[in-house]
Amino acid sequence: MAWRLLQQVRVVDPLNRADYRADVLFRGDELVAIAPADIPPESERIPAEQLILAPPLVDLYSHSGQPGYEARETLTSLLAAAAAGGVQHLTLLPTTQPVIDDPAVWNSIQHDLPAESWTQVRVWAALSQGGAGKALSNLAELAAAGVVGFCDDSGLVNWPLLQRALTYLQPIQKCVALWPFDATLAAHGVARESLDALRLGLAEQLICCETIPLLAILELGRTVTTPIHLMRLSTARSVEILTQAKPETVTASVCWLHLLFDTGDLANYDPNLRLEPPLGTPTDRQSLIEGVKTGVIEAIAIDHTPLLYEEKMISFAEALPGAIGLELALPALWQGLVAPGHLTAVDLWHAISTAPAHILGLAPPQLQPPSRNVILFDPTAAWTVNAQSLRSRCHNTPYWQRTLRGQLSALSPSMSSGRTH
């Protein structure tokens, strides 16, 4: 295998809160040393000041099309997209068909995973049978099968059921991921309550759809030691509540698009911005960014949601909510938050790698040679988001046919995996 010395690479190490430049030595696609003392004389020396060496990404929750919705996404295309986006640890929601509420479903998914993949897959199991919020799944069996935790991926407001689940899971210490959302209060609203929603004639979703269940979950969290993760926070009021009253057992995440878009971006009624929860106001977006910066919101999730053309390219209100993101999140977040100085590079990598790993109970990725578990990211590389550049089978993204700046280098260890699936 060829030896390559990449000269003056920017090294971003969120685990040690470090950001510095150094030469890095690769043999093939394996990182051998950072600031090597001994360099093989046959090494190819490559100027690489534009590249960033960093740990791979860890995604807290995303959707798979397989099993049940293979027209949207297969496990093969999903893992190719993840590898192209630098996501080495991918955690799937139980929203397959059948729902992951039994160890047999998880075993079937494992059986269908491509034999060789740079990206590793884990799953959240459904907290309730069928994810219906009425009766608990067999939590002990699922925990023994190796799921990372439990999540119904819906606004669970069956408080007695949730209280029983949190109590039962205390000795098991598997995380419960909860989306603070009350569908009854939402009343089919498709845009966050705001002057923008009124001006555009979009049915509003009240802030209290999120904050009322959030407060209830926090109160329940004070009574148990079970780890709780709050998904998809989207309002300034939620950040304020967590700043004032967040138990130690509770963590939180925001989806990446809510940090980059807000209600002011809905003027074109782009159905790819039809999300759930809906985009917040500019004030919400700024508060969410600040929450990530201060650590009140520990993690940024990708929540990759592949949907077919006919499921999205209809009226804004009728379109199914969600957007893809595995290949887009890192360059868009860099371009939208790090380049203008809203977050540091270390802040970003902590939120999309180190913190999600802690939440999932994994050892956080680190720059520990020798290793293929690293990525090389080029924030200067410009590319157009289209069918030729994406590996996901679906194209539901507000970045469609737009130019993004930032992409994994062809030298990145994950890229050979991404090309083969």
Side-chain angles (χ1 to χ4, degrees), residues 57-327:
L57 311 191
V58 179
D59 185 34
L60 276 171
Y61 42 88
S62 279
H63 300 264
S64 171
Q66 183 180 352
Y69 306 100
E70 285 83 356
R72 296 174 177 169
E73 196 87 276
T74 64
L75 290 170
T76 296
S77 65
L78 183 74
L79 292 181
V87 179
Q88 188 174 40
H89 300 275
L90 181 63
T91 318
L92 302 182
L93 290 163
T95 52
T96 52
Q97 190 55 251
V99 171
I100 307 172
D101 62 358
D102 186 277
V105 182
W106 171 218
N107 292 336
S108 175
I109 291 173
Q110 289 177 293
H111 180 267
D112 290 338
L113 289 171
E116 292 184 8
S117 175
W118 181 81
T119 298
Q120 301 171 25
V121 174
R122 296 171 179 82
V123 297
W124 295 96
L127 186 67
S128 63
Q129 294 175 22
K134 295 180 179 178
L136 292 177
S137 302
N138 192 326
L139 305 180
E141 269 192 29
L142 287 162
V147 304
V148 297
F150 301 93
C151 172
D152 272 358
D153 192 44
S154 60
L156 182 63
V157 291
N158 184 339
W159 304 117
L161 183 78
L162 179 56
Q163 192 276 333
R164 287 199 301 274
L166 292 173
T167 301
Y168 181 80
L169 287 168
Q170 285 186 109
I172 298 174
Q173 284 296 293
K174 289 280 186 179
C175 186
V176 176
L178 299 169
W179 174 20
F181 173 68
D182 189 326
T184 304
L185 287 170
H188 307 293
V190 297
R192 180 64 66 206
E193 59 175 306
S194 61
L195 291 176
D196 290 318
L198 283 172
R199 178 173 53 85
L200 297 170
L202 296 171
E204 292 182 287
Q205 190 177 117
L206 301 178
I207 293 172
C208 65
C209 298
E210 178 170 291
T211 55
I212 288 176
L214 172 61
L215 288 165
I217 292 167
L218 291 176
E219 285 302 304
L220 280 175
R222 297 181 192 286
T223 68
V224 294
T225 59
T226 306
I228 295 172
H229 181 70
L230 298 166
M231 308 166 64
R232 303 187 179 116
L233 295 185
S234 66
T235 68
R237 177 62 181 142
S238 293
V239 177
E240 181 183 0
I241 290 169
L242 289 182
T243 301
Q244 296 171 348
K246 184 180 175 187
E248 290 185 5
T249 55
V250 173
T251 55
S253 62
V254 57
C255 296
W256 69 288
L257 285 170
H258 287 74
L259 299 172
L260 299 171
F261 294 90
D262 55 51
T263 55
D265 298 300
L266 299 179
N268 292 329
Y269 300 95
D270 181 357
N272 289 313
L273 289 176
R274 166 77 172 97
L275 306 174
E276 200 67 89
L279 292 172
T281 65
T283 299
D284 290 326
R285 184 163 71 91
Q286 188 55 49
S287 292
L288 293 167
I289 294 170
E290 191 64 25
V292 172
K293 186 185 299 186
T294 61
V296 172
I297 297 175
E298 286 88 350
I300 300 171
I302 297 175
D303 203 6
H304 178 83
T305 307
L307 294 168
L308 300 175
Y309 181 88
E310 55 268 27
E311 293 173 316
K312 288 299 281 188
M313 290 299 109
I314 50 181
S315 72
F316 185 90
E318 294 176 336
L320 291 182
I324 61 169
L326 291 172
E327 301 164 81

Side-chain angles (χ1 to χ4, degrees), residues 319-369:
L320 291 182
I324 61 169
L326 291 172
E327 301 164 81
L328 305 168
L330 177 56
L333 288 167
W334 184 277
Q335 180 177 294
L337 298 181
V338 179
H342 302 307
L343 293 179
T344 67
V346 170
D347 288 337
L348 177 61
W349 248 275
H350 178 82
I352 58 177
S353 182
T354 306
H358 283 307
I359 292 166
L360 294 169
L362 307 177
Q366 54 185 309
L367 299 174
Q368 188 67 50

